[in-house]
Amino acid sequence: MVGTPQHILDQLPYGKSFLFVDELLHVDEQGAKGTFTYSEDLPFYQGHFKNAPVTPAVILTETMAQIGLVCLGLFLLQHTESNQHTSLAMTSNTVDFLKPVYPGEKVWVTSEKVYFRFNKLSCNVKMENASGEVVCKGNISGMLISKADG
Amino acid sequence: MDKTEITQELATIITPYTEEKTALESLDENTDFIADLKINSANLVDIILDIEEKFSIVIDNDSMAQMLTVKDTVRIIQNKLNAG
C-alpha cells in the first residue's frame, strides 16, 4: 500500500552493501523513525580502524540520511505527486558526533522536518543507541532529483 | 523600498551562498544566479527562504521558477511588497 513503511522501504534505491535501514518504525508528514544494526562483518570495520573497529562518521551520517531524510522524502512525495521516477540527493549536512558506535550495535534514528519547499527537504536528525544515549545529531538537507531515464 | 535598496539587501542575502566574489562585487540587475554566481539549486532554495524572511513575503512556485536573475528577483519582491 502506498505510504506504508514497507512500501517506502521497497522504494529505497540502495543495494544491500549500502543499505543502512532495517526497520522504518514510523513516518508521517513531520518526520520519520527507524533502526539499523551494524553487523560485525561489515567490510569497513577491517580498516576503520586496524584492530580497533568503530563505525565511521560518514556511515553514521549516511544512516541518518537514509532513514531520516530519504524515507521521509519518499513519504512526502507520495502525498504531493505520484511521480515514481524521483529520488533524493543529499546536498548538505551539519552533524555533531558525540559517542562512538561499535560493531554489532543497533541504533535508532529520528528525524523532524524543518521545511519541505521548492523540492528541498531539510530535517533535524538524531541517532540514539540501545541505552537511549544520543550518539550523533544534526541537520541534513537534500534535493529531489528527477531521474533522467524516468 | 526602491530597487537599489532591494538589490543591496539581496546582495547581502546571497553573499554566504556564492564563492564567485568578483561576480558578487560587480553585481547588477543582469547578474544571473546560476551562470554568474554559480549557485546550485539547493542553495537557491535557501536564498528564496531568506528573501521571504527578510521581506516578510511568501514566494510561490511560479515566482520561484522566474527568480534566476537579480532583475527578475527584484521585480518579484517589489510586486509582492506592493501587493501586501
Side-chain angles (χ1 to χ4, degrees):
Chain A
M1 209 178 109
V2 172
T4 60
Q6 188 55 51
H7 181 73
I8 290 168
L9 289 176
D10 291 343
Q11 282 184 288
L12 288 173
Y14 313 102
K16 192 173 174 0
S17 65
F18 213 73
L19 175 67
F20 298 107
V21 188
D22 285 333
E23 308 166 281
L24 185 58
L25 301 172
H26 181 77
V27 58
D28 65 22
E29 294 280 336
Q30 300 307 319
K33 182 168 187 171
T35 72
F36 184 72
T37 301
Y38 296 99
S39 160
E40 292 179 12
D41 55 14
L42 282 164
F44 48 75
Y45 287 128
Q46 293 166 21
H48 190 285
F49 298 94
K50 285 186 282 184
N51 303 320
V54 59
T55 314
V58 65
I59 298 295
L60 300 178
T61 304
E62 179 66 23
T63 308
M64 292 208 292
Q66 289 192 8
I67 298 174
L69 189 80
V70 179
C71 288
L72 177 58
L74 290 172
F75 176 84
L76 292 173
L77 263 184
Q78 288 159 349
H79 286 252
T80 51
E81 54 193 84
S82 58
N83 190 343
Q84 299 293 309
H85 302 289
T86 50
S87 69
L88 266 163
M90 186 169 12
T91 54
S92 59
N93 69 66
T94 316
V95 180
D96 291 331
F97 302 95
L98 308 173
K99 285 183 174 293
V101 177
Y102 296 109
E105 279 198 55
K106 179 177 181 178
V107 296
W108 283 256
V109 172
T110 311
S111 69
E112 283 177 19
K113 181 179 74 181
V114 179
Y115 64 78
F116 179 46
R117 294 202 55 202
F118 309 117
N119 288 335
K120 181 172 181 177
L121 176 59
S122 175
C123 297
N124 288 328
V125 189
K126 68 173 175 179
M127 176 185 287
E128 291 161 298
N129 62 21
S131 308
E133 298 167 316
V134 176
V135 295
C136 52
K137 62 183 171 66
N139 180 274
I140 304 179
S141 299
M143 286 292 289
L144 284 179
I145 306 292
S146 294
K147 288 179 188 168
D149 63 354
Chain B
M1 208 179 274
D2 66 24
K3 273 187 188 175
T4 311
E5 288 172 308
I6 294 176
T7 306
Q8 277 172 358
E9 293 287 4
L10 192 56
T12 306
I13 288 171
I14 292 167
T15 301
Y17 298 107
T18 181
E19 298 301 322
E20 302 292 317
K21 299 305 175 195
T22 312
L24 188 65
E25 280 164 22
S26 60
L27 181 130
D28 63 21
E29 65 173 15
N30 295 318
T31 301
D32 186 295
F33 293 147
I34 297 165
D36 299 323
L37 296 173
K38 309 282 191 286
I39 292 169
N40 70 15
S41 55
N43 282 338
L44 203 49
V45 174
D46 285 333
I47 289 172
I48 305 295
L49 297 180
D50 288 353
I51 288 171
E52 287 190 330
E53 195 178 337
K54 179 71 201 173
F55 295 97
S56 301
I57 55 177
V58 177
I59 307 289
D60 52 76
N61 285 334
D62 289 344
S63 299
M64 155 76 173
Q66 298 172 44
M67 293 168 78
L68 297 173
T69 64
V70 169
K71 188 179 184 176
D72 291 322
T73 304
V74 171
R75 173 176 57 79
I76 286 163
I77 293 171
Q78 267 191 319
N79 287 346
K80 299 280 180 192
L81 286 173
N82 291 338

